Amino acid sequence: MEYKTNIKYRKNKLQDLLKSILSHEEEIIAALYDDFKKPKFEAVVTETSYVISELKHTLKNLSKWTKPEYVIPSLLNFPSTDYILKEPYGNVLIIAPWNYPFQLALCPLIAAVAAGNSVVVKPSELTPSTSSVISKIITEVFDENHVQVIEGGVTVSQELLAQRWDYIFFTGSVAVGKVVAKAAANFMTPTTLELGGKNPCIVDENCNIQLTAKRIVWGKFLNAGQTCIAPDYILVHSKNKNQLIQALQEEIILAYGASPETSEDYPRIINEKNWLRLTQFLENQTIIYGGQGNQNTNFLTPTLLDEPKLDSLVMQEEIFGPILPIISYENEVNIESVISKYEKPLALYVFSNDTKWAQKIVQKYAFGGGCINDTIVHFSNHRLPFGGVGNSGIGAYHGKLSLDTFSHKKAIVQKATWLDLPMRYAPYKNKIKFLQKLLNWL
């Protein structure tokens, strides 16, 4: 179990992992395309390059991150040296999703290994080609007693969750997240749950409409909308609604052409079950743009909906696909009346040239993270925590915080022996007044 205590060993393994990913990068890209036609550009930017960057950042900083963290001692413990030790939790289970199947399996794995844990990774059964490559890479790099991949469907997940783990890291839906939380509670196992929600995108009357549309289209239809932090619906000021709709249509055509089905830059829905779920959202709705699909290939075009009712199916569930409802508002009361109907989302976006107003909005509502005048790019900064709040998740990670997530922080007070103040020892007679003064002063 050298990986638990030997930092050099962990770094060597992560270096081997980096070499393996680099050597298999084209195979990973091909697997992602095979699973749901993820374009090469998106595969590189959101999957392989992201993981490679995370690996390099971890390797560069691991020695510093794992050092004891010294803190100012309490005067009550004088003389002492106080510090925090980071130790691995032990055996970690990582359950990864299908939408970014390589990135969201490997990034938690990198952090768990960096922290000194042994790891079992359960990739998604919905992306079998990518899961196979992940298994190949892990087998190539790690001893099976250190890291292993277990492939399979729901039954396998249930069997894994029935076992005792020291930490569980899950990325996926809210519904399954609750199942994971219940299983973890049986053993009081700490968890990180990266879930989702209905992420609002607020468009103020005072903004650059064309640039706003371009950034919304990119963030929404990246990965065909199958992104947990994608804008789920737009709240646009009524003065800008028609102009925004026109700009969104123009930007969709600029990005994917008049026929997105023939575009090399537009992926497919992961499977027929999810395709059918999404097409149900379109029933009895006013479709402004798009709405076409092909069940045989799980294709669904970028689609804009006009003023869906809040009690309609599309506004009751997280969409997780290329459907974008557009709802107008007149004032902040209207905005609150919509957002307040939903659980705390994983992300929130606001577009406005009025900086004070935009900052007021992001301070007013509870959400995991977000952007002013852009979408989803907060995910790319390893200095920012990524995670949900309330129904959208528990815990956060990225960068140094990822290593902290998989580390137990052990508090240590190392007392000196050359001086021993008698104040704390019995008998306590005539000590209380002095102690009260001391504590009040502290």
Side-chain angles (χ1 to χ4, degrees), residues 95 97 99-100 104 168-182 191-199 226-230 318 320 343-347 368 379 386-397:
I95 301 178
N99 59 328
Y100 294 91
L104 295 177
I168 298 175
F169 190 104
F170 169 79
T171 307
S173 69
V174 175
V176 180
K178 291 178 180 180
V179 172
V180 173
K182 287 179 182 178
T191 61
T192 293
L193 304 176
E194 296 296 342
L195 308 177
K198 292 195 75 64
N199 307 319
Q226 298 166 118
T227 303
C228 59
I229 53 174
E318 179 182 7
F320 218 71
E343 296 281 358
K344 298 171 184 176
L346 185 57
F379 184 90
F386 177 78
V389 58
N391 216 56
S392 58
I394 297 172
Y397 71 121

Side-chain angles (χ1 to χ4, degrees), residues 21-300:
I21 291 172
L22 289 170
S23 67
H24 291 293
E25 185 171 16
E26 289 302 320
E27 191 176 348
I28 298 163
I29 293 167
L32 290 163
Y33 185 83
D34 185 56
D35 282 328
F36 58 118
K37 289 187 167 45
K38 180 170 285 198
K40 184 172 183 177
F41 180 88
E42 291 187 12
V44 171
V45 171
T46 66
E47 304 262 13
T48 58
S49 287
Y50 190 94
V51 171
I52 290 166
S53 175
E54 188 76 4
L55 255 173
K56 289 180 177 178
H57 181 65
T58 301
L59 283 164
K60 180 181 178 181
N61 293 283
L62 183 56
S63 296
K64 177 175 65 177
W65 290 346
T66 51
K67 285 181 179 179
E69 182 182 336
Y70 289 89
V71 300
I72 298 171
S74 168
L75 188 59
L76 293 173
N77 289 331
F78 180 83
S80 71
T81 302
D82 296 13
Y83 56 94
I84 301 167
L85 291 178
K86 294 178 182 177
E87 67 177 13
Y89 275 106
N91 297 320
V92 171
L93 173 64
I94 295 171
I95 301 178
W98 52 261
N99 59 328
Y100 294 91
F102 186 73
Q103 181 218 128
L104 295 177
L106 268 291
C107 283
L109 167 66
I110 291 164
V113 169
N117 299 282
S118 58
V119 187
V120 168
V121 180
K122 162 60 178 68
S124 174
E125 71 278 11
L126 300 185
T127 49
S129 297
T130 307
S131 296
S132 179
V133 178
I134 290 172
S135 181
K136 180 179 180 179
I137 290 170
I138 298 305
T139 302
E140 187 176 289
V141 173
F142 296 98
D143 180 273
E144 65 176 5
N145 293 319
H146 185 189
V147 181
Q148 63 173 306
V149 174
I150 296 180
E151 298 181 81
V154 174
T155 302
V156 171
S157 295
Q158 291 171 338
E159 291 172 354
L160 288 170
L161 288 171
Q163 300 176 31
R164 183 168 193 151
W165 301 92
D166 297 304
Y167 201 94
I168 298 175
F169 190 104
F170 169 79
T171 307
S173 69
V174 175
V176 180
K178 291 178 180 180
V179 172
V180 173
K182 287 179 182 178
N186 290 329
F187 301 106
M188 298 298 288
T189 302
T191 61
T192 293
L193 304 176
E194 296 296 342
L195 308 177
K198 292 195 75 64
N199 307 319
C201 181
I202 304 165
V203 180
D204 184 27
E205 61 180 315
N206 179 16
C207 70
N208 182 326
I209 289 295
Q210 202 66 40
L211 182 60
T212 295
K214 181 184 287 290
R215 291 177 176 177
I216 291 174
V217 165
W218 175 76
K220 174 62 180 181
F221 300 112
L222 180 78
N223 207 38
Q226 298 166 118
T227 303
C228 59
I229 53 174
D232 194 90
Y233 61 97
I234 292 176
L235 291 170
V236 57
H237 196 284
S238 58
K239 291 181 179 179
N240 281 345
K241 180 184 173 183
N242 291 336
Q243 189 181 356
L244 178 67
I245 288 171
Q246 181 61 36
L248 288 169
Q249 294 180 64
E250 291 171 1
E251 294 298 335
I252 290 170
I253 294 169
L254 282 172
Y256 306 112
S259 177
E261 190 168 10
T262 62
S263 171
E264 295 181 354
D265 299 320
Y266 190 71
R268 298 300 181 259
I269 307 306
I270 187 63
N271 58 18
E272 185 179 37
K273 178 182 177 181
N274 278 276
W275 186 90
L276 290 169
R277 178 185 66 86
L278 290 166
T279 55
Q280 281 186 317
F281 290 158
L282 303 181
E283 295 176 4
N284 302 315
Q285 295 295 338
T286 302
I287 298 174
I288 307 169
Y289 181 86
Q292 301 84 22
N294 185 335
Q295 187 172 354
N296 294 328
T297 60
N298 298 323
F299 166 77
L300 184 61

